[in-house]
DNA sequence: AAACCTATATATAAAAC
DNA sequence: TGTTTTATATATAGGTT
């Protein structure tokens, strides 16, 4: 599909691998989009580059959110369920600031980096990184849940305010009715709709 | 890309929409696979047909697992899944000593710890830790493979020595035979077994 | 890197089966 | 429905800038 034919195996040259990645990634996104429009289907595409960066296309935002947040959800669930990790959980759940988290991580890492990295050391390092990863994911979930909670709270308050305003309006209308007599009272009432 | 050019909108004719879906779906899967191989990246592609049928391609099994929890799309049985072997991150394979690895990790971590850990920062941190974990695992594999190689080498040397010893023994026996005459020579020979 | 340029490989729409 | 064919549209490798 170009001047030369390419074998189906890892492109060894780093530079042209990167170029190909960029081109083909865009091509894939475009085709995903076309498929979704032409055939009216939902498509979700996730591409994780070697560096762990995520490129994604999705016709359904909620699906994306569900799929990409599944991992952190699962980690959280696991964390609260398994006893072995209880201590870890309690140690981290009351971290309130990002700085505390950063410090904690650095502390762990300092410890780790002092050790000799033979196989047994690497095993430990692997475990530690795994735990850190879990902590980060839990923290992320917590933050996101916090955001959601705040939004919900705000919504509640707005609704409350709206209700109060409605009440005032109703009171005003009722006062008008006192002046105007009973005629038209019914219409005034049905205009008010509280949700 | 065919005899006629198609507008980018839902194909109204049900039949040709179905045909297009089938063709483009396969094309997308193929291209996803190619991208993953050529550029050595993880790709996950999910296509939900109008009827809720799922077509999926993924280089990463965990993605498949994510979907298996999707109750609404669970009727998926005929998944054409292509499994691809996990590959070593080539950028890291030339790390030769534990010290280099330690340094590299520390470098990454220093960078990370400088940043503010809001949600976006946590996302990056998650990626970084994931990468570090991968590096550690690759390094571990390398070390283990090194150990195996050494053991094989030692085994080879031991076998060589054994062979030489056997030869000496054979020579000694032959000498004995010269003294004793031909009787018993056959038995002596069959006792010697070179592996 | 990214953007552009072609020659060529590939994908696929429509036809035919 | 699926497969094969074929003409054409599209994607992209390997340049160049």
């Amino acid at each position: 599909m170009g001047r030369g034919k390419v074998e189906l195996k890892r492109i060894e040259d780093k530079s042209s691998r990167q170029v190909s990645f960029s081109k083909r990634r865009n091509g894939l996104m475009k085709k995903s989009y076309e498929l979704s429009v032409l055939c009216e289907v939902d498509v979700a595409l996730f591409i994780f580059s070697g560096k762990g960066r995520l490129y994604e296309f999705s016709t359904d935002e909620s699906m994306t959110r569900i799929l990409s947040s599944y991992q952190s959800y699962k980690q959280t669930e696991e964390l609260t369920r398994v006893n072995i990790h209880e201590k870890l959980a309690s140690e981290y759940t009351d971290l309130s600031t990002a700085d505390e988290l950063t410090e904690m991580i650095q502390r762990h890492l300092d410890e780790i980096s002092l050790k000799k990295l033979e196989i047994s050391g690497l095993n430990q390092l692997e475990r530690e990184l795994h735990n850190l990863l879990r902590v980060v994911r839990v923290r992320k979930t917590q933050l996101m849940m916090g955001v959601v909670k705040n939004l919900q709270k705000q919504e509640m308050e707005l609704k409350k305010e709206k209700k109060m305003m409605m009440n005032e309006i109703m009171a005003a209308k009722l006062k008008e009715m006192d002046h105007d007599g009973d005629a038209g009272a019914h219409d005034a009432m049905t205009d008010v709709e509280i949700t």
Side-chain angles (χ1 to χ4, degrees), chain A:
Chain A
M1 219 170 185
R3 304 220 164 187
K5 191 172 176 176
V6 287
E7 264 190 286
L8 211 81
K9 61 167 194 165
R10 184 191 130 104
I11 296 169
E12 290 304 333
D13 181 59
K14 196 176 170 180
S15 166
S16 53
R17 186 170 69 242
Q18 176 54 39
V19 172
S20 261
F21 177 56
S22 175
K23 285 180 175 176
R24 282 175 174 268
R25 175 164 41 80
N26 287 135
L28 210 52
M29 299 257 188
K30 189 183 174 199
K31 284 211 166 287
S32 297
Y33 172 64
E34 287 178 359
L35 179 68
S36 72
V37 172
L38 292 171
C39 304
E40 207 178 36
V41 294
D42 276 332
V43 178
L45 173 69
F46 301 90
I47 303 169
F48 300 90
S49 81
K51 300 248 186 287
R53 198 172 267 20
L54 169 65
Y55 301 87
E56 61 168 307
F57 164 81
S58 175
T59 54
D60 183 354
E61 227 172 90
S62 67
M63 183 168 66
T64 310
R65 237 178 292 126
I66 290 168
L67 289 177
S68 61
S69 69
Y70 176 81
Q71 279 204 338
S72 38
Y73 157 73
K74 192 98 195 266
Q75 298 283 354
T76 312
E77 192 192 46
E78 194 187 326
L79 197 57
T80 46
R81 184 158 35 87
V82 182
N83 280 343
I84 300 167
H85 298 306
E86 249 175 39
K87 191 190 160 222
L88 194 70
S90 66
E91 184 182 343
Y92 299 128
T93 43
D94 41 43
L95 287 173
S96 51
T97 68
D99 282 343
E100 284 179 272
L101 181 63
T102 317
E103 266 176 48
M104 186 276 294
I105 289 175
Q106 199 57 52
R107 216 181 315 125
H108 273 254
L109 297 171
D110 287 344
E111 256 180 71
I112 293 167
S113 62
L114 291 176
K115 313 202 169 174
K116 273 265 157 283
L117 292 185
E118 296 309 320
I119 290 183
S120 64
L122 285 171
N123 274 325
Q124 198 200 331
L125 183 54
E126 187 179 348
R127 280 198 302 275
E128 296 275 359
L129 285 175
H130 197 266
N131 282 338
L132 287 175
L133 195 53
R134 182 188 290 124
V135 171
V136 168
R137 284 173 175 157
V138 168
R139 182 75 190 126
K140 204 175 72 178
T141 304
Q142 287 175 336
L143 272 181
M144 292 196 292
M145 285 170 74
V147 171
V148 169
K149 245 185 207 161
N150 269 340
L151 287 175
Q152 285 177 333
K153 201 171 145 198
Q154 282 176 23
E155 199 188 342
M156 290 279 275
E157 275 165 15
L158 283 174
K159 278 191 180 172
K160 213 193 270 175
E161 281 176 37
K162 189 180 168 190
K163 219 176 214 164
M164 287 169 70
M165 284 165 68
M166 285 301 178
N167 284 339
E168 279 182 45
I169 291 169
M170 272 177 45
K173 295 239 178 196
L174 286 171
K175 226 179 205 170
E176 273 179 56
M177 291 196 302
D178 278 345
H179 293 290
D180 303 344
D182 283 337
H186 180 69
D187 283 3
M189 288 298 285
T190 48
D191 279 350
V192 180
E193 192 183 308
I194 300 173
T195 51

